[in-house]
Amino acid sequence: MTWDKAQRTAALESMLTIRRFEETVVGLFLEHEFMTHFHLYIGQEATGVALMEALRPDDRIATHHRNHGHVLARGADPKLALAEILGRENGINRGAGGTMHMSDTDRGFIATSAIVGGSISLATGAGFAMKTQGGDAVAVGLFGDGALEEGVSYESLNLAALWELPVLYVCENNSEGALGSAGGGFPTSVSAVGDLTDIPRTFGIPVETVDGRDPEAVFDVASKGVAYTRARKGPFFVHVATARYAGTQPLWPTLPTGETDISMAWDDSGVSGEHEQWYREHDPVLGYARKLLASGDVTQDELKEMDARVRERISEARQFALDSPRPTPESALDHVFA
Amino acid sequence: MTWDKAQRTAALESMLTIRRFEETVVGLFLEHEFMTHFHLYIGQEATGVALMEALRPDDRIATHHRNHGHVLARGADPKLALAEILGRENGINRGAGGTMHMSDTDRGFIATSAIVGGSISLATGAGFAMKTQGGDAVAVGLFGDGALEEGVSYESLNLAALWELPVLYVCENNSEGALGSAGGGFPTSVSAVGDLTDIPRTFGIPVETVDGRDPEAVFDVASKGVAYTRARKGPFFVHVATARYAGTQPLWPTLPTGETDISMAWDDSGVSGEHEQWYREHDPVLGYARKLLASGDVTQDELKEMDARVRERISEARQFALDSPRPTPESALDHVFA
Amino acid sequence: MATKNYADAMLDVLTLCMEEDPTFVVMGNEVLGIGPEAVQFGAFQEKYADRIYFPPCSEASYSALAAGAAMCGQRMFLHLGLAPFSYPAFSTIASEVATARQGSGGRVSVPATFHISHGLLHGGASQHSESPMGMYWNVAGIEIVVPWEPGDLKGLLRRAIRSDNPTLVITHAFGYGTEGEVPDEDYEIPFGEAKVKREGSDVTIVACSMMVAVSMAAAEQLAEEGIEAEVIDLRTLVPLDERAILDSVAKTGHLVIADEGRLRCGVASEIAATVAEHGFESLKAPPARVARVDAPVPGNAVQEAFLAPSAEKLVAAAREVVGGVPARA
Amino acid sequence: MATKNYADAMLDVLTLCMEEDPTFVVMGNEVLGIGPEAVQFGAFQEKYADRIYFPPCSEASYSALAAGAAMCGQRMFLHLGLAPFSYPAFSTIASEVATARQGSGGRVSVPATFHISHGLLHGGASQHSESPMGMYWNVAGIEIVVPWEPGDLKGLLRRAIRSDNPTLVITHAFGYGTEGEVPDEDYEIPFGEAKVKREGSDVTIVACSMMVAVSMAAAEQLAEEGIEAEVIDLRTLVPLDERAILDSVAKTGHLVIADEGRLRCGVASEIAATVAEHGFESLKAPPARVARVDAPVPGNAVQEAFLAPSAEKLVAAAREVVGGVPARA
Ligand SMILES: Cc1ncc(C[n+]2csc(CCOP(=O)(O)OP(=O)(O)O)c2C)c(N)n1
Ligand SMILES: Cc1ncc(C[n+]2csc(CCOP(=O)(O)OP(=O)(O)O)c2C)c(N)n1
Ligand SMILES: [Mg+2]
Ligand SMILES: [Mg+2]
């Protein structure tokens, strides 16, 4: 099943929103508005947006350190998300979570763990609860290819398969072209398993690979997986292949491709240089914009309006975050125990 | 390659030695000579004996809680092994290891871990050392099917495969007919992986399954694996299928099949009752004895002599252990640090 | 009121939970121990078979499963087995379970109950003799229950399962067989209330778990020497009943702490430090820690006994602190 | 003698080891940190590429690999990353590494060196701010090194790698950039020798790792008020230089402990308990623990600062202990 025109443009706008949000996050970091390391969702926007479209409000989600796009795609207010990243009192988690632990419980996020292997194992528990408590809600675990290096992930797949838990595992494999240790970064996907999909398969868990640049393709595969697990047939594994964004290195990502120029979707002139391949092939936002232009779902003018609208929204969010109060020191002890 | 007559009878005697040793251990426990829980190698004797035959003195071994048979098959003195189980000063490990941690370093045992997943992961490290330090010695990791439930085991296989470490993984799967939770025991082999050999295969590690009742079959497969990994082609995985002994339940195993009556190898009259199938099909000692009788490698009289010899040896060991001095209390701190 | 053992007390609570909450689940590798008490567990297991789970031997993931489920409101009693088997789950407990609520600004709760058995086993050797109260106490964000009397176990376990916070219930591996008076009715014991097991005027002995019994034995011996020991059973470490400890020391002026865990950074160290800091004026002599000597445990009863805290060691320590009132600089 | 930072000091030692032992190996997810210092590491990485391993993100197994290799005599520097990333390896460290020697009656040695970075990161939040010195100190069987000065790091790391015992080297995540005098030659600093960083007659401040710098800052402020603090850098926790601590307290009569780890069962608790037990007569006032407040760390600098030990808190604590000499019961 494919999307109608409205859904398509909405998906593109959501993707662009995440992009502008992340570009703003980098700016705020460079302005020393927050000091800790962080992770960008740039290059993976299509996955978050399409996946959340395939879910129901009562489904539960556990995600990981690269969570900004997931939270926004699920409908969180950029204002509150940015306030959270800046550690402000009115952030999604009262500023206690920061960039790595945004957990919007109103939108079904049960946890956002920055411990590799955390989200996949906690999501398995959410699936257990969904099954035990009846109904047909499902659990979703979002994690990266690196999580498949941690033993707890294998254990979790085993549990989900054994007890036929309603869990949709979504692995965002962004290691194609990963910088790895060469770039002073984490060498992810250090696995002897040539094809990572062999891992869920070993436990008898159905798995499908999809191109992470194409939101509609991701939506179709995710929907199939959700239907399968919602029907209580057991867990399902979605392997999303995405190219790693050039600015993605720990600890502090950058914007080597610059602020996204939406006009590249129709005007080729600026598309060149070191990152030409990114602009032409990898960038999911530009790619989807081109597709919708080609299909006539949007016009250049509509795209410009959309971009203006999104920029406006994010800059308002930015201001809101900067104007937000910081938590009081003493409140540090308010939420240790219920 | 198969064994000559001398090797066959030696293997049988070694298997019988382990059997009498374990029967003696149960007796000593019932006499309250030691108090902790323990594990018997009964039913798995063929594996330990054949595997050790396939190794070289300079190969390193890490084993687990079910280690008695491994240590004895490798040539440890039953006297010192029993003294160790009784926690005596002159035991293999000065009585500090006890039944679960016998580590005979003179015979290449680097560690005996009672933490499930311990031996497979430590053996991987031994393989790393064997590779780094040159030469062509190999490392062997002995563990049970339950170890394949621990995430660290998957991680270890990944490391060995990635770095082509010379490790022979030997999984003694004794869960056929496992009592599991029904018997108040540990439900082992609780895995969604139907065929456990799919696990090493997922990491590209060659694997072979062999019948754990037949020492010659185990020897051939183990030798093949050792040759492969000694040639530095990478790790090799041997999956040994054995029936679980009826007396094997945590915490305190028993001897439901009674003290082994070697005459059952030629005299059918007593072979009946609840455990008839054990005597006829599963017991590797009786089974191999029958085979050597049939092939003419041994005669009934020779078997009787062998049994008498073994009984004599083990009862001497028993007395030695009982007469052995206990460590002094203060010596408890002698070996914390080098 | 009936005489019951640990296993009975646990069954009382687990049965109540199963009955009142149709989604309540019990999970564990060998739920109520795998010794004789497993038999007691038999009927319960049959009756609620569909809600009792025997997970694979994979502590990291099934404890995370319990945590993730709890984040969705699932109530569960999770048995991790002997204390060292909780170590593969250490990251789950310390990084996920303990931090989820604080890290979410109070929006996520983890009402999970974890149970482990601790202690020296008379030959359990280096990998089966852990008493990790100190390590877990250094992890902020989990409530820690360390009961000794079966009656306390019942009321505290009931509270633990009802609690909206993650709770770690640590019982002694030899506790299952321990008998005591256990009220038949359903009741809760609030956390943070220590119990004065024995009143005394000369020295305060602070203990938890099986060390309570050992301290009581020591107190009897001391009484024969004319030294009246007050024995305090902490019952919970988080929250800690500092008041009860400080009040007792204010009365006796002397402190001995019995701890089956290792000395360094253990429970005894924390109690000694707390009293030194907040009850300094009360102390007439140095506090004495009688804890497990700092070393892995050799696999024989003789050397194990050398490392273990005992009634004899407690008596000697009490005698010394009461005996000499050192001059103050 | 040159001014160098942590990363330089580590490189000095690792280079020496690589040169003298052709089988020496360096392994880690991001060996000398992944910040700017990774650059310093570049040349070393190229030169010894064949002996530097970047394992998968699987701490439990690669720490066990280091342990198993060490049991075969392999010398290796293993970097586990930030302290919380060592938690998945907790079972390996506590149940295998720490127990192997004792459990084998001294026949197996584990000459492995593990390195982790600890500390508050100004917004690192609940999962990246661990200072687990207390937890690991409660594990008997591993030597624990907690250096602050780059020069000490060099000598202690050299000793750690040479040691036949498993050693856990805990440095501060912000330490890499810290500069100090580092002798060029090859040298070892024996374990168990604390260093008096500053002499003082009024109060003893015991610290380790970055708290040494914070304590020095506090000492300067106190000096302005006429309070002379003696600052002791423990340098190693296992073995512990009790003598140095007790001698200093015997001189000053007052004790304040600075600890970035959490309060309960932490380093500060252990030092306070040790002094209360063995230096009771010397204490003129209660010891004061200035440790991290017992709570997971919120992801913002404001609340983090509230939990963190600081020079201000140390000054206040020192003032108080020096100020009032409470009446003795
Ligand atoms: C247990 C643990 N070990 C190491 C780390 C450090 N670390 C943070 S992100 C990361 C790489 C994760 O890669 P992946 O799961 O593929 O996610 P990605 O960042 O690529 O989206 C690592 C190793 C961690 N957070 N947790
Ligand atoms: C980490 C850990 N969890 C649980 C246990 C308890 N335990 C001891 S033996 C055992 C079963 C092991 O089965 P397997 O590996 O197949 O070995 P077997 O006893 O069948 O030979 C378990 C779960 C343990 N020792 N370590
Ligand atoms: Mg990745
Ligand atoms: Mg088994």
Side-chain angles (χ1 to χ4, degrees):
Chain A
M1 103 222 198
T2 41
W3 286 333
D4 62 26
K5 179 181 161 138
Q7 291 171 301
R8 288 183 168 149
T9 48
L12 178 60
E13 182 154 348
S14 180
M15 287 167 64
L16 187 58
T17 302
I18 294 171
R19 175 66 54 88
R20 295 300 180 205
F21 181 94
E22 295 294 52
E23 290 173 352
T24 304
V25 168
V26 174
L28 287 165
F29 173 74
L30 295 176
E31 292 156 31
H32 306 295
E33 290 296 339
F34 68 99
M35 293 178 66
T36 185
H37 68 291
F38 61 106
H39 308 82
L40 298 175
Y41 201 58
I42 293 179
Q44 301 176 208
E45 296 91 345
T47 306
V49 169
L51 170 66
M52 299 310 169
E53 271 303 303
L55 299 179
R56 248 173 28 192
D58 61 339
D59 294 331
R60 307 302 181 91
I61 306 166
T63 179
H64 66 151
H65 56 280
R66 201 172 296 284
N67 64 81
H68 301 175
H70 304 147
V71 176
L72 292 172
R74 183 76 166 164
D77 184 337
K79 281 193 173 72
L80 309 184
L82 267 183
E84 183 58 36
I85 290 171
L86 298 191
R88 304 306 173 99
E89 169 63 30
N90 54 1
I92 290 177
N93 299 99
R94 297 199 172 94
T99 164
M100 280 186 287
H101 307 291
M102 286 199 282
S103 307
D104 192 346
T105 49
D106 293 345
R107 288 173 182 72
F109 286 88
I110 63 158
T112 298
S113 173
I115 295 300
V116 175
S119 60
I120 181 173
S121 57
L122 293 170
T124 305
F128 182 88
M130 295 303 102
K131 180 170 186 173
T132 309
Q133 291 167 14
D136 65 349
V138 304
V140 178
L142 280 149
F143 51 92
D145 46 292
L148 295 178
E149 296 167 15
E150 290 286 352
V152 70
S153 303
Y154 291 82
E155 295 180 358
S156 299
L157 294 175
N158 188 35
L159 287 171
L162 273 172
W163 296 336
E164 297 180 332
L165 305 181
V167 186
L168 183 75
Y169 293 104
V170 180
C171 176
E172 293 188 74
N173 184 346
N174 58 2
S175 283
E176 276 179 46
L179 299 172
S181 54
F186 293 115
T188 55
S189 208
V190 182
S191 176
V193 182
D195 176 355
L196 293 183
T197 63
D198 285 345
I199 295 170
R201 225 177 263 113
T202 300
F203 296 93
I205 299 174
V207 52
E208 279 198 32
T209 296
V210 60
D211 180 344
R213 291 168 303 184
D214 179 350
E216 297 182 47
V218 173
F219 178 78
D220 291 343
V221 172
S223 300
K224 180 179 169 184
V226 169
Y228 180 91
T229 193
R230 201 181 293 291
R232 296 297 184 260
K233 292 180 183 164
F236 192 96
F237 195 106
V238 178
H239 176 245
V240 185
T242 47
R244 194 175 187 79
Y245 177 56
T248 297
Q249 70 268 346
L251 301 169
W252 295 280
T254 55
L255 293 177
T257 58
E259 195 181 72
T260 305
D261 174 357
I262 198 71
S263 77
M264 284 187 177
W266 60 83
D267 175 359
D268 228 29
S269 57
V271 182
S272 61
E274 181 190 357
H275 299 289
E276 178 170 356
Q277 199 189 16
W278 162 261
Y279 301 125
R280 264 190 218 296
E281 298 168 25
H282 295 321
D283 185 336
V285 173
L286 288 177
Y288 198 50
R290 290 190 188 102
K291 180 175 174 182
L292 297 202
L293 280 170
S295 63
D297 288 305
V298 288
T299 65
Q300 284 184 24
D301 290 343
E302 285 169 334
L303 268 183
K304 288 183 189 155
E305 284 159 28
M306 180 189 287
D307 191 31
R309 206 164 43 238
V310 171
R311 285 171 178 276
E312 174 63 18
R313 189 166 174 227
I314 298 300
S315 69
E316 274 172 16
R318 184 177 176 286
Q319 203 48 54
F320 173 87
L322 289 169
D323 298 342
S324 296
R326 297 181 190 280
T328 60
E330 320 71 54
S331 63
L333 300 181
D334 290 353
H335 304 294
V336 177
F337 286 119
Chain B
M1 103 217 196
T2 40
W3 287 333
D4 61 25
K5 180 183 160 136
Q7 291 171 301
R8 288 184 169 147
T9 48
L12 178 60
E13 183 154 346
S14 180
M15 288 167 63
L16 187 58
T17 302
I18 295 171
R19 175 65 54 89
R20 294 300 179 206
F21 181 94
E22 296 292 52
E23 289 172 351
T24 303
V25 167
V26 174
L28 286 166
F29 174 74
L30 294 176
E31 290 155 32
H32 307 295
E33 290 297 338
F34 68 97
M35 291 177 68
T36 185
H37 68 292
F38 61 104
H39 308 82
L40 298 175
Y41 201 58
I42 293 179
Q44 300 176 208
E45 295 91 344
T47 305
V49 169
L51 171 66
M52 299 311 168
E53 271 304 302
L55 299 179
R56 247 174 26 194
D58 61 340
D59 294 331
R60 307 301 180 93
I61 306 166
T63 179
H64 65 151
H65 55 280
R66 203 172 296 284
N67 64 80
H68 301 176
H70 304 148
V71 177
L72 291 172
R74 183 77 165 164
D77 183 339
K79 283 192 173 75
L80 309 184
L82 267 184
E84 183 57 38
I85 291 170
L86 297 193
R88 304 304 172 97
E89 169 62 31
N90 53 0
I92 289 178
N93 299 99
R94 297 198 174 94
T99 164
M100 280 186 288
H101 307 292
M102 285 199 282
S103 307
D104 192 346
T105 49
D106 294 343
R107 289 172 181 72
F109 286 88
I110 63 159
T112 297
S113 173
I115 295 299
V116 174
S119 59
I120 181 173
S121 56
L122 293 168
T124 305
F128 182 88
M130 295 304 101
K131 179 170 186 175
T132 309
Q133 292 167 14
D136 64 350
V138 305
V140 178
L142 280 148
F143 50 91
D145 44 293
L148 294 177
E149 295 167 17
E150 289 286 352
V152 70
S153 304
Y154 292 83
E155 295 180 0
S156 299
L157 293 175
N158 188 35
L159 287 171
L162 273 172
W163 297 335
E164 296 180 331
L165 305 181
V167 186
L168 182 75
Y169 292 104
V170 180
C171 175
E172 293 189 73
N173 183 347
N174 58 4
S175 282
E176 276 180 47
L179 299 173
S181 54
F186 292 117
T188 55
S189 206
V190 183
S191 175
V193 181
D195 176 355
L196 293 182
T197 63
D198 285 346
I199 294 170
R201 223 175 266 116
T202 300
F203 295 94
I205 298 175
V207 51
E208 279 200 32
T209 296
V210 60
D211 180 344
R213 290 167 304 185
D214 180 349
E216 296 182 44
V218 173
F219 178 78
D220 291 343
V221 171
S223 300
K224 179 178 171 185
V226 169
Y228 180 91
T229 193
R230 201 182 292 294
R232 295 300 186 255
K233 293 181 183 164
F236 192 96
F237 195 106
V238 178
H239 176 245
V240 185
T242 47
R244 194 176 188 79
Y245 177 55
T248 298
Q249 69 267 345
L251 299 167
W252 296 280
T254 54
L255 293 177
T257 58
E259 194 180 74
T260 305
D261 175 357
I262 199 70
S263 76
M264 284 185 176
W266 61 82
D267 174 2
D268 229 27
S269 58
V271 183
S272 60
E274 182 190 355
H275 299 290
E276 178 169 355
Q277 200 189 13
W278 162 261
Y279 301 126
R280 270 192 209 298
E281 298 168 27
H282 296 322
D283 185 333
V285 173
L286 288 177
Y288 198 51
R290 289 189 189 104
K291 180 175 173 180
L292 297 202
L293 280 170
S295 63
D297 289 304
V298 289
T299 65
Q300 283 184 25
D301 291 343
E302 285 169 335
L303 267 184
K304 287 181 189 156
E305 285 157 26
M306 180 188 287
D307 191 32
R309 204 164 45 236
V310 170
R311 284 171 181 274
E312 174 63 17
R313 189 167 174 225
I314 298 300
S315 68
E316 273 171 15
R318 182 176 179 287
Q319 202 50 53
F320 173 88
L322 289 169
D323 297 342
S324 296
R326 297 182 190 280
T328 60
E330 317 73 52
S331 63
L333 299 181
D334 290 353
H335 305 293
V336 178
F337 286 120
Chain C
M1 193 77 117
T3 303
K4 297 184 172 187
N5 65 19
Y6 260 49
D8 295 317
M10 277 197 180
L11 276 171
D12 280 2
V13 176
L14 297 180
T15 304
L16 276 166
C17 295
M18 284 288 194
E19 288 302 319
E20 81 183 359
D21 174 0
T23 69
F24 186 75
V25 162
V26 170
M27 185 178 291
N29 209 317
E30 19 88 13
V31 180
L32 279 187
I34 47 183
E37 61 278 357
V39 179
Q40 278 167 276
F41 182 58
F44 177 84
Q45 197 182 320
E46 268 169 45
K47 181 160 186 199
Y48 303 105
D50 57 327
R51 285 191 279 154
I52 297 177
Y53 291 77
F54 295 93
C57 185
S58 54
E59 296 80 6
S61 57
Y62 70 74
S63 55
L65 179 145
M71 291 169 176
C72 298
Q74 175 72 45
R75 298 274 160 165
M76 181 188 307
F77 174 80
L78 184 79
H79 177 66
L80 276 155
L82 281 182
F85 310 156
S86 71
Y87 295 166
F90 199 83
S91 180
T92 300
I93 295 170
S95 291
E96 311 292 354
V97 173
T99 67
R101 192 161 197 290
Q102 167 87 319
S104 65
R107 293 185 65 175
V108 175
S109 289
V110 189
T113 302
F114 298 94
H115 174 245
I116 55 177
S117 305
H118 82 97
L120 295 164
L121 306 180
H122 300 166
S126 59
Q127 296 181 324
H128 285 71
S129 308
E130 293 291 284
S131 293
M133 292 75 113
M135 294 169 185
Y136 284 116
W137 198 357
N138 189 245
V139 175
I142 48 176
E143 297 170 323
I144 302 178
V145 182
V146 286
W148 175 240
E149 290 176 42
D152 287 345
L153 171 62
K154 180 174 175 178
L156 291 167
L157 179 57
R158 183 68 164 141
R159 171 90 280 274
I161 292 170
R162 286 242 184 90
S163 170
D164 286 332
N165 299 313
T167 306
L168 176 63
V169 179
I170 306 178
T171 59
H172 197 285
F174 287 163
Y176 288 115
T178 311
E179 301 213 319
E181 290 301 298
V182 179
D184 299 318
E185 71 271 18
D186 177 15
Y187 61 99
E188 277 188 22
I189 294 176
F191 291 172
E193 293 186 9
K195 184 188 223 169
V196 176
K197 288 274 296 177
R198 181 187 195 286
E199 301 220 335
S201 52
D202 305 326
V203 58
T204 299
I205 302 180
V206 175
C208 67
S209 195
M210 199 171 76
M211 281 302 117
V212 171
V214 175
S215 301
M216 289 301 281
E220 295 314 316
Q221 293 181 42
L222 286 165
E224 290 165 15
E225 305 178 15
I227 298 174
E228 289 304 326
E230 179 147 296
V231 177
I232 294 183
D233 177 351
L234 293 174
R235 301 202 297 186
T236 66
L237 296 177
V238 181
L240 176 69
D241 189 349
E242 290 195 7
R243 199 63 266 144
I245 301 167
L246 295 172
D247 288 348
S248 178
V249 176
K251 186 174 74 176
T252 65
H254 300 100
L255 173 65
V256 172
I257 311 116
D259 179 15
E260 196 167 342
R262 282 175 290 259
L263 182 78
R264 299 293 192 187
C265 295
V267 170
S269 302
E270 182 55 40
I271 301 302
T274 299
V275 173
E277 212 173 18
H278 307 297
F280 190 73
E281 301 72 9
S282 310
L283 286 170
K284 299 199 194 101
R289 293 178 289 172
V290 177
R292 179 189 306 194
V293 177
D294 254 320
V297 180
N300 65 79
V302 179
Q303 290 176 312
E304 178 184 304
F306 178 79
L307 301 180
S310 64
E312 294 58 40
K313 292 180 182 178
L314 283 169
V315 168
R319 254 194 229 115
E320 194 181 332
V321 299
V322 172
V325 182
R328 167 55 45 105
Chain D
M1 193 80 114
T3 303
K4 299 185 170 187
N5 65 17
Y6 261 48
D8 295 317
M10 277 195 180
L11 277 171
D12 281 0
V13 176
L14 297 180
T15 304
L16 277 165
C17 296
M18 284 287 194
E19 289 302 320
E20 83 183 359
D21 174 1
T23 69
F24 186 75
V25 161
V26 171
M27 186 179 290
N29 210 318
E30 17 90 13
V31 179
L32 280 186
I34 46 182
E37 61 278 356
V39 180
Q40 277 165 277
F41 183 56
F44 177 83
Q45 195 179 325
E46 268 168 42
K47 179 157 186 203
Y48 304 103
D50 58 327
R51 286 191 279 153
I52 298 177
Y53 291 76
F54 294 93
C57 185
S58 54
E59 296 80 6
S61 58
Y62 70 75
S63 56
L65 179 145
M71 291 169 176
C72 298
Q74 174 71 47
R75 299 273 159 166
M76 182 190 305
F77 174 80
L78 184 79
H79 177 66
L80 276 155
L82 280 183
F85 309 157
S86 71
Y87 295 166
F90 199 83
S91 180
T92 299
I93 295 169
S95 291
E96 311 292 353
V97 172
T99 67
R101 191 160 199 290
Q102 167 86 321
S104 67
R107 294 186 66 176
V108 175
S109 289
V110 189
T113 302
F114 298 94
H115 173 244
I116 55 176
S117 306
H118 82 96
L120 295 163
L121 306 179
H122 299 167
S126 58
Q127 296 181 324
H128 285 71
S129 309
E130 294 289 284
S131 293
M133 290 76 114
M135 293 168 185
Y136 285 115
W137 199 358
N138 189 245
V139 176
I142 49 176
E143 297 170 326
I144 302 178
V145 182
V146 285
W148 175 241
E149 291 176 40
D152 288 345
L153 171 63
K154 180 174 175 178
L156 292 166
L157 179 57
R158 183 68 163 142
R159 173 88 279 274
I161 293 170
R162 286 243 183 91
S163 170
D164 286 332
N165 298 314
T167 306
L168 176 62
V169 179
I170 307 178
T171 60
H172 198 286
F174 288 164
Y176 288 115
T178 311
E179 302 213 318
E181 289 303 297
V182 179
D184 299 320
E185 70 271 17
D186 178 15
Y187 62 98
E188 280 189 18
I189 294 177
F191 292 173
E193 293 186 7
K195 184 188 224 171
V196 177
K197 288 274 296 178
R198 181 185 196 284
E199 300 219 337
S201 52
D202 304 328
V203 57
T204 299
I205 303 181
V206 174
C208 67
S209 195
M210 198 170 79
M211 281 301 116
V212 171
V214 175
S215 300
M216 290 301 283
E220 296 313 317
Q221 293 182 41
L222 287 165
E224 290 166 15
E225 304 178 16
I227 298 174
E228 289 306 326
E230 179 147 297
V231 177
I232 294 182
D233 177 352
L234 293 174
R235 300 204 296 185
T236 65
L237 296 177
V238 181
L240 176 70
D241 189 349
E242 290 195 8
R243 197 64 268 142
I245 301 167
L246 295 172
D247 288 348
S248 178
V249 176
K251 185 174 75 175
T252 65
H254 299 101
L255 173 66
V256 172
I257 310 118
D259 179 14
E260 195 166 342
R262 284 175 289 259
L263 182 77
R264 298 296 190 184
C265 296
V267 170
S269 302
E270 182 54 41
I271 301 301
T274 299
V275 173
E277 213 174 18
H278 306 297
F280 189 72
E281 302 73 8
S282 309
L283 286 170
K284 300 201 195 100
R289 291 177 290 172
V290 178
R292 179 188 305 193
V293 177
D294 253 318
V297 181
N300 65 79
V302 179
Q303 292 176 309
E304 180 184 303
F306 178 79
L307 301 180
S310 64
E312 294 58 40
K313 292 180 182 177
L314 284 168
V315 168
R319 252 195 231 116
E320 196 179 330
V321 299
V322 173
V325 181
R328 165 55 46 108

